[in-house]
Amino acid sequence: MTTELVPIVPRWGSFVQCLQAHAADRPEALALYELAGLRDLRASLSFSALDRRAKAVAARLQALGAGGQRVLLVLDNDLHYLISFLGCGYAGSVAVNLLPPKKPKHMARIAHVARDCDASVVLLSRRLAASFKAEMSAQLGLEALITVVAEDIGEEEAKGYLPTTPDTHDVCFIQYTSGSTGEPRGVMVSHNNLIMNCATMQRMFALGVEDHALNWMPLYHDLGLIIGHLLPLYCGFPSGLADPLSFIKHPIRWLKAISERRVTFAGGPNFAYDLCLDTLDPAELQGLDLSCWQVAYNGAEHVRSRTVAAFAQTFAHLGFQPTATGPTYGLAEFTLVVTTKPRGELPSVRDLDAEALARGEIRPAVEGARSVTVVSSGHPGPGTTICIVDPDTELPVAADRVGEIWVAGASIAQGYWGKEEASERTFRARLPDDTRPWLRTGDLGFLDGPNLYVTGRSKDVIIICGVNHYPQDIEETVERAHAAIRPNFVMAFADQIDGEEVLVLVAELRRGEAEGLDLSSLADPIFRAVAREHEITAREVHFVHHGQVPKTTSGKLQRSHCRALLRAGQLEIHGSFRRGGAR
């Protein structure tokens, strides 16, 4: 267990008070700006302009009687999203973050969320309005939902705003979980939860008004919304916004924007750093200076030691410092961040005995034996306590054991919307002789002093012959087996075949790589690599078309869903192979 007894006291009780204070004290200072295509300045807002725009949205919501009601945000990744989110707080409404629909399943998710939280209003992008309204009536049965086009709310409407100060314990927004291991649930985050987590992150990342942020991550996801923009807003420094697709298509533009705008605070999931490395063109790096980049946070998915080391080494000649790398761990149920590496320090890394880790034991690597390298996700913030617990007995484990990560602190959210039993089980767990509520994260890991090491999700652990195997380690091995395999699009999971629990692999191929490729020559190296590095025999490997590996809206692998799709024959497969030959 580790803790710091004195929590931080935030300067404000909500982001309504925070933004109003910045607007009064530094009205013309830059708050937000938008980069079209991660290159061209499209729009910008000072603190006073942002305050007025938020009040205009709030006035419209108040006129609709939406105070205290749930308001869906179905918006593009632009400034209107952030304005609308803040406007909900000004109105006393509860914002509900959602992915703008691009596929039929996205509309189904919106319908599920709208009914689950009993939403009354939806704030829409103009681009989506016509098709969304038609879909609502034709298929979703949501005719009663009031639709408002965010771009149609003029700044002059701010004159009709009725000042509202939300109670710190009121729900600020509902963040529906990604659904990586089950049905999405609505996490209720209070104004106090949000402001406390941002105040704590400011201390953890050592941020000040001289910093500068740039974010391309989607705003419907808490990492993009909170760490990308609300944290900079709390601290009072500017944040730039870009569309996720512009990064996916042109990751070099992210690095160029960081260099040109002297960004100090930027990051993303581990795959973002892999993508920069995978698409690297030395000719495009000429003139880049990354010495300004002080915090390159890495969170939302498993942090790979190989990625951390390769990124620091590859971009060192451009001024990128290894100390900038910031492995971070968090989850929606704790508002966002639980741990991160202190600014200016090197990430902590440990080489462990792989066989001992499979038994849930922490032992240093022994020369000549199989080993695994793990990266620490950093230290807990002030006022946050972590305990490693046996998920079955619900008792703390010994210091040299892996267990479930339990967390206590003021950032624990209020529970799942409409799911009291699940909320009691997850948000209000208890330890012997401890009256505090504890959050059960469902993640596995261990502590080494103040450092937290996350080893995997408890529901994803592969148990074969009584031995634990962490799927992300096997997936990384498969990726390295052949250049045709698409990085970060490999699944490893256990399944029942012929009455036996076995390891099954699903690997997505890079676009166009399957043509002319002898897939049997690809399968054999994968089987050998997995056996050699993990001492486990994979029974099957399935090579699927580009875009077939299922992920959540936040980019997390859905292993159980992939298994279900495979069983139902719903994956588009190039070829399937069993150990010893094709199926």
Side-chain angles (χ1 to χ4, degrees):
M1 189 180 293
T2 180
T3 185
E4 184 169 334
L5 296 178
V6 183
I8 289 172
V9 178
R11 286 176 281 176
W12 306 285
S14 71
F15 269 91
V16 176
Q17 297 171 323
C18 171
L19 178 52
Q20 289 176 343
H22 287 317
D25 298 341
R26 306 166 59 224
E28 300 311 312
L30 178 63
L32 294 169
Y33 64 92
E34 186 178 341
L35 291 181
L38 252 175
R39 288 190 301 189
D40 306 317
L41 183 64
R42 174 181 287 162
S44 63
L45 292 170
S46 65
F47 285 111
S48 59
L50 181 58
D51 175 60
R52 289 192 301 273
R53 297 285 294 275
K55 287 176 178 174
V57 171
R60 177 71 71 92
L61 293 175
Q62 289 174 334
L64 294 171
Q69 300 297 304
R70 272 68 59 205
V71 176
L72 307 183
L73 303 185
V74 185
L75 299 156
D76 291 321
N77 219 72
D78 56 24
L79 294 184
H80 291 290
Y81 201 117
L82 294 164
I83 294 166
S84 297
F85 180 89
L86 293 165
C88 287
Y90 273 60
S93 302
V94 179
V96 183
N97 303 327
L98 284 167
L99 165 72
K102 298 177 183 177
K103 301 176 181 178
K105 67 177 183 179
H106 296 159
M107 288 301 298
R109 178 183 171 94
I110 291 171
H112 166 77
V113 168
R115 295 190 185 98
D116 187 67
C117 71
D118 191 24
S120 62
V121 176
V122 55
L123 282 165
L124 286 164
S125 295
R126 183 179 294 125
R127 180 184 66 83
L128 300 167
S131 60
F132 186 88
K133 290 178 182 178
E135 193 81 15
M136 282 170 54
S137 300
Q139 298 184 34
L140 304 183
L142 300 175
E143 296 87 348
L145 199 61
I146 300 171
T147 58
V148 178
V149 175
E151 292 97 322
D152 292 345
I153 301 175
E155 194 172 306
E156 68 280 359
E157 295 189 45
K159 297 175 183 177
Y161 172 62
L162 301 175
T164 300
T165 302
D167 186 90
T168 58
H169 297 293
D170 288 346
V171 177
C172 174
F173 73 104
I174 299 176
Q175 179 72 56
Y176 275 79
T177 58
S178 59
S180 59
T181 60
E183 183 74 21
R185 295 173 174 178
V187 178
M188 299 182 290
V189 179
S190 71
H191 289 277
N192 182 66
N193 293 148
L194 183 58
I195 211 81
M196 178 64 76
N197 202 251
C198 286
T200 304
M201 283 192 286
Q202 181 183 30
R203 176 78 63 83
M204 296 164 77
F205 288 116
L207 298 170
V209 293
E210 69 283 355
D211 281 296
H212 188 131
L214 177 62
N215 172 59
W216 54 264
M217 291 178 292
L219 298 174
Y220 59 79
H221 187 235
D222 50 9
L223 190 64
L225 175 68
I226 300 175
I227 205 170
H229 298 285
L230 295 183
L231 174 58
L233 177 60
Y234 179 88
C235 299
F237 62 82
S239 59
L241 170 65
D243 185 80
L245 191 59
S246 61
F247 168 75
I248 299 298
K249 288 184 173 181
H250 309 285
I252 184 63
R253 293 183 185 176
W254 183 45
L255 303 181
K256 286 183 176 180
I258 289 171
S259 173
E260 292 168 0
R261 296 181 176 274
R262 310 313 293 158
V263 169
T264 62
F265 186 72
N270 194 89
F271 87 84
Y273 299 94
D274 276 337
L275 189 60
C276 289
L277 293 166
D278 193 44
T279 59
L280 182 65
D281 182 354
E284 292 186 294
L285 301 179
Q286 295 298 322
L288 264 63
D289 177 8
L290 299 180
S291 62
C292 57
W293 198 358
Q294 297 298 302
V295 180
Y297 52 88
N298 184 335
E301 63 183 24
H302 180 65
V303 180
R304 297 181 172 183
S305 60
R306 181 169 57 95
T307 303
V308 170
F311 193 89
Q313 182 178 5
T314 300
F315 295 101
H317 72 288
L318 300 178
F320 184 82
Q321 299 296 316
T323 54
T325 302
T328 300
Y329 168 70
L331 64 165
E333 287 84 348
F334 198 73
T335 305
L336 185 61
V337 169
V338 176
T339 64
T340 192
K341 177 197 70 71
R343 186 167 176 164
E345 294 184 9
L346 287 170
S348 296
V349 178
R350 286 199 61 180
D351 293 319
L352 301 177
D353 183 293
E355 292 185 6
L357 187 62
R359 298 191 300 270
E361 301 173 5
I362 307 304
R363 299 281 185 269
V366 178
E367 188 175 352
R370 288 192 308 115
S371 65
V372 60
T373 302
V374 291
V375 183
S376 166
S377 293
H379 304 182
T384 298
T385 309
I386 294 175
C387 189
I388 307 301
V389 177
D390 184 312
D392 297 322
T393 66
E394 299 186 5
L395 296 173
V397 301
D400 62 349
R401 300 288 302 184
V402 171
E404 184 181 4
I405 301 166
W406 287 25
V407 188
S411 290
I412 295 180
Q414 306 304 294
Y416 295 122
W417 177 271
K419 293 178 171 57
E420 184 56 36
E421 185 178 339
S423 297
E424 188 69 24
R425 183 172 59 252
T426 301
F427 293 85
R428 294 183 277 277
R430 301 290 177 180
L431 289 173
D433 303 319
D434 193 325
T435 59
R436 291 173 295 180
W438 288 81
L439 171 67
R440 297 191 64 160
T441 69
D443 293 315
L444 300 175
F446 65 94
L447 287 167
D448 182 9
N451 286 299
L452 174 68
Y453 291 83
V454 181
T455 58
R457 291 283 301 172
S458 59
K459 291 183 180 180
D460 284 339
V461 171
I462 299 165
I463 306 174
I464 295 178
C465 298
V467 178
N468 293 348
H469 299 273
Y470 295 99
Q472 65 271 11
D473 296 332
I474 297 172
E475 290 157 358
E476 191 172 352
T477 296
V478 174
E479 286 179 21
R480 293 199 303 265
H482 199 283
I485 297 171
R486 189 181 179 193
N488 298 291
F489 284 82
V490 175
M491 297 273 198
F493 49 81
D495 202 0
Q496 284 280 337
I497 296 179
D498 299 331
E500 182 184 1
E501 191 87 352
V502 297
L503 172 63
V504 175
L505 306 170
V506 173
E508 193 169 296
L509 299 181
R510 294 178 188 267
R511 195 186 300 275
E513 289 285 351
E515 294 182 17
L517 183 65
D518 180 2
L519 293 179
S520 63
S521 68
L522 181 56
D524 287 341
I526 289 174
F527 286 129
R528 289 196 299 270
V530 170
R532 180 179 64 252
E533 296 188 29
H534 303 281
E535 294 188 353
I536 182 175
T537 299
R539 175 66 65 87
E540 294 182 348
V541 59
H542 304 270
F543 299 111
V544 298
H545 289 252
H546 190 279
Q548 286 293 291
V549 165
K551 288 191 172 187
T552 67
T553 57
S554 60
K556 294 178 181 177
L557 295 170
Q558 293 178 299
R559 297 181 179 95
S560 58
H561 183 45
C562 184
R563 179 173 53 223
L565 291 175
L566 181 65
R567 286 174 176 172
Q570 295 177 358
L571 291 178
E572 296 179 27
I573 296 176
H574 285 296
S576 297
F577 297 84
R578 278 197 174 184
R579 183 69 171 168
R583 288 184 60 185

